[in-house]
Amino acid sequence: CGLGEPSLRVVANAGVTAAAQLGAVGRSAPGAFPGMPAPGTTAPEVGQWRPGQVTFPTPVLTGYDSVPDVSQVLDALRAGGQQPGQQPGQQPGQQTGAVPPSDPQATATAGEQEKAVATAAAAQAVPEKTLEEWLAELDALTGLTTVKAEIHRQSAVLRIEQLRTKQGLKSATITRHLVFNGNPGTGKTTVARLVGGIYKAIGLLSTGQLVEVDRSELVAGYLGQTAVKTSEVVASAIGGVLFIDEAYSLTGDQYGEEAIDTLVKEMEDHRDDLVVIVAGYPGPMAEFVAANPGLASRFRTTITFPDYTDDELVQIFTRLSSSQDYDATPECLARFREILAATPRGEGFGNGRFARNVLESAIGRHAWRLRDVADPTADQLRLLLPEDLADDEHPAEAAGAPDGTSTGSTSSTSTSTSSTSDGTTDRTHDGPDGDADGPGPFDVLGPVSKGDIVGGST
């Protein structure tokens, strides 16, 4: 048992120790040995120390006039009554004179208080919307026709099961946990956030918040610590959705297996107020679910997110531009289509993230193109031209001369690597997330953030 717990063993040990110490000291005892000064007193002058003859004032101990016998303490604890020497209303272990807490919350542990604060903050972060409003927001996303249909179906089934339960009718056990398969930038995180809101509106979740994590936030550096770390993450998601991106990265070593085992247990313990969504590439995700029988029985529904078509990516690019007060001209959109046609599609293609990265680069080139214009008009500040989407070895030439004409040759932004004017390498569109090696010279990270993608692209 831990120090401070009111168990029989702790109280007994403390009682025996206190009785022995107080019995040895007493109310008027001199020093520890005859003639020695008691604690807190002044020692005698040299030559005046006579063992057994010199006495000194001794501090008076208060509050310990009666030390209960150990047997009395044990009998009181077994009976569940008031301990000997305990004042009415006094908490166990509380000294006489201390004010007992009047608020029950004062006795809560620090962990419970932190959890309550986190849950309240998460609940406030999720807006109050009706089921129809959440579904309408889902339907407003670009593309994802099959995904929307499956979420609608899941919502209808779970809603009816919830109503049957309220009427006292029997209902089949339907798993709420989901597997999202798809390449990066296909809207998985966006849909996961909407699922939390939809399930909250139905009444399946209490708060509906989205907690997004990956392996690094579940696995600790030492064996035994991973279980604690995973449990803490799950605790922060109770009442909402726990979204684990690239969940298959947990397989293959004992640390990840410990996280999976803990996750399965937590999913069972909190099955009434927690939804777990795992996401990643289709092939590895199938192996992940099959690796653990507990996962296979809990993730029964798999939703596949297809890559966006060129028309859908143009629509995403247009919405992103409008959300940042930019207008892409028809010529600019035609140039974007040329870039899409020249870009290889595969697991490394960023989909919506690719559209966002192209826009960020265009915003940087737009600013460079207007660098010498002292007082640009509102139209000049808003319009994106085809040269703003150019990708050239010489950024200054690709951005155009001050009069707005392009003086350099252009090449497709689908090129995974290109040399910049300072000799560095720009890999803005390299890697699964579209920007694995950091921003290029014209990547403006400020105006557009990951959460601003209209239509979903994560």
Side-chain angles (χ1 to χ4, degrees):
C1 56
L3 182 61
E5 298 178 2
S7 65
L8 297 179
R9 179 180 176 185
V10 170
V11 174
N13 292 341
V16 172
T17 303
Q21 291 175 342
L22 293 175
V25 177
R27 281 185 64 91
S28 59
F33 300 99
M36 290 187 65
T41 60
T42 305
E45 298 293 336
V46 179
Q48 296 183 0
W49 197 330
R50 299 290 188 273
Q53 298 180 5
V54 182
T55 58
F56 303 94
T58 303
V60 178
L61 302 177
T62 60
Y64 300 95
D65 294 330
S66 61
V67 179
D69 186 76
V70 175
S71 60
Q72 293 178 313
V73 176
L74 297 179
D75 292 340
L77 287 174
R78 294 191 185 99
Q82 182 174 302
Q83 299 182 16
Q86 179 181 339
Q87 300 297 327
Q90 178 183 352
Q91 298 294 329
Q94 177 183 343
Q95 294 188 5
T96 304
V99 180
S102 57
D103 186 359
Q105 293 295 331
T107 60
T109 63
E112 292 172 343
Q113 293 174 349
E114 292 177 359
K115 179 181 176 181
V117 172
T119 302
Q124 293 177 358
V126 179
E128 292 293 340
K129 298 180 181 179
T130 64
L131 176 60
E132 291 72 21
E133 290 174 329
W134 283 111
L135 292 175
E137 187 174 345
L138 172 69
D139 293 337
L141 298 179
T142 300
L144 306 177
T145 303
T146 57
V147 174
K148 296 173 184 177
E150 181 61 28
I151 296 298
H152 274 274
R153 190 190 71 82
Q154 287 284 321
S155 302
V157 171
L158 294 173
R159 174 179 171 273
I160 294 301
E161 291 302 313
Q162 186 79 351
L163 294 176
R164 287 175 56 86
T165 301
K166 290 182 179 180
Q167 294 295 331
L169 301 176
K170 294 182 179 179
S171 60
T173 302
I174 300 177
T175 177
R176 310 171 183 178
H177 311 296
L178 303 171
V179 177
F180 284 0
N181 287 340
N183 291 329
T186 50
K188 297 186 293 294
T189 305
T190 301
V191 174
R193 177 184 62 82
L194 295 176
V195 167
I198 291 171
Y199 283 9
K200 178 186 177 184
I202 294 175
L204 297 176
L205 296 176
S206 57
T207 55
Q209 81 277 12
L210 176 69
V211 177
E212 183 181 1
V213 298
D214 56 18
R215 174 189 169 94
S216 64
E217 293 165 282
L218 297 174
V219 175
Y222 301 94
L223 285 178
Q225 294 180 345
T226 294
V228 176
K229 191 173 183 180
T230 302
S231 296
E232 291 175 349
V233 170
V234 172
S236 68
I238 293 177
V241 174
L242 176 61
F243 182 83
I244 306 177
D245 195 18
E246 297 183 352
Y248 43 76
S249 62
L250 294 173
T251 59
D253 61 76
Q254 54 188 343
Y255 298 97
E257 295 296 334
E258 182 181 358
I260 293 175
D261 293 340
T262 304
L263 179 63
V264 171
K265 179 181 181 303
E266 295 288 348
M267 291 170 64
E268 180 63 24
D269 293 344
H270 306 287
R271 61 183 179 274
D272 294 331
D273 200 19
L274 175 68
V275 170
V276 178
I277 299 178
V278 292
Y281 296 112
M285 286 305 303
E287 297 176 2
F288 166 75
V289 173
N292 187 299
L295 294 177
S297 63
R298 287 168 175 80
F299 291 101
R300 304 285 296 276
T301 303
T302 299
I303 301 178
T304 300
F305 288 67
D307 288 340
Y308 288 113
T309 65
D310 285 2
D311 290 339
E312 291 168 348
L313 288 172
V314 170
Q315 184 179 354
I316 291 175
F317 183 85
T318 303
R319 287 186 175 184
L320 283 171
S321 302
S322 299
S323 68
Q324 301 299 319
D325 287 335
Y326 284 94
D327 291 331
T329 63
E331 295 78 12
C332 178
L333 296 180
R335 172 59 183 153
F336 182 58
R337 286 183 178 276
E338 294 176 0
I339 294 174
L340 291 175
T343 302
R345 305 295 175 92
E347 287 189 350
F349 180 65
N351 286 281
R353 296 182 190 176
F354 178 83
R356 184 187 72 238
N357 290 339
V358 173
L359 176 61
E360 290 177 352
S361 297
I363 290 174
R365 291 187 174 88
H366 168 269
W368 179 260
R369 176 166 56 82
L370 299 177
R371 68 191 183 281
D372 293 330
V373 180
D375 189 17
T377 64
D379 286 343
Q380 287 177 312
L381 293 173
R382 293 179 61 94
L383 292 180
L384 293 177
L385 304 179
E387 54 262 36
D388 295 328
L389 272 63
D391 187 15
D392 193 87
E393 293 184 355
H394 305 287
E397 296 178 2
D403 60 359
T405 59
S406 177
T407 59
S409 60
T410 61
S411 61
S412 171
T413 56
S414 63
T415 303
S416 59
T417 60
S418 60
S419 300
T420 62
S421 58
D422 57 0
T424 60
T425 300
D426 179 11
R427 295 178 179 266
T428 303
H429 306 300
D430 186 19
D433 60 354
D435 55 359
D437 292 294
F442 290 104
D443 285 336
V444 180
L445 303 181
V448 183
S449 62
K450 178 178 178 181
D452 293 332
I453 298 179
V454 182
S457 62
T458 60

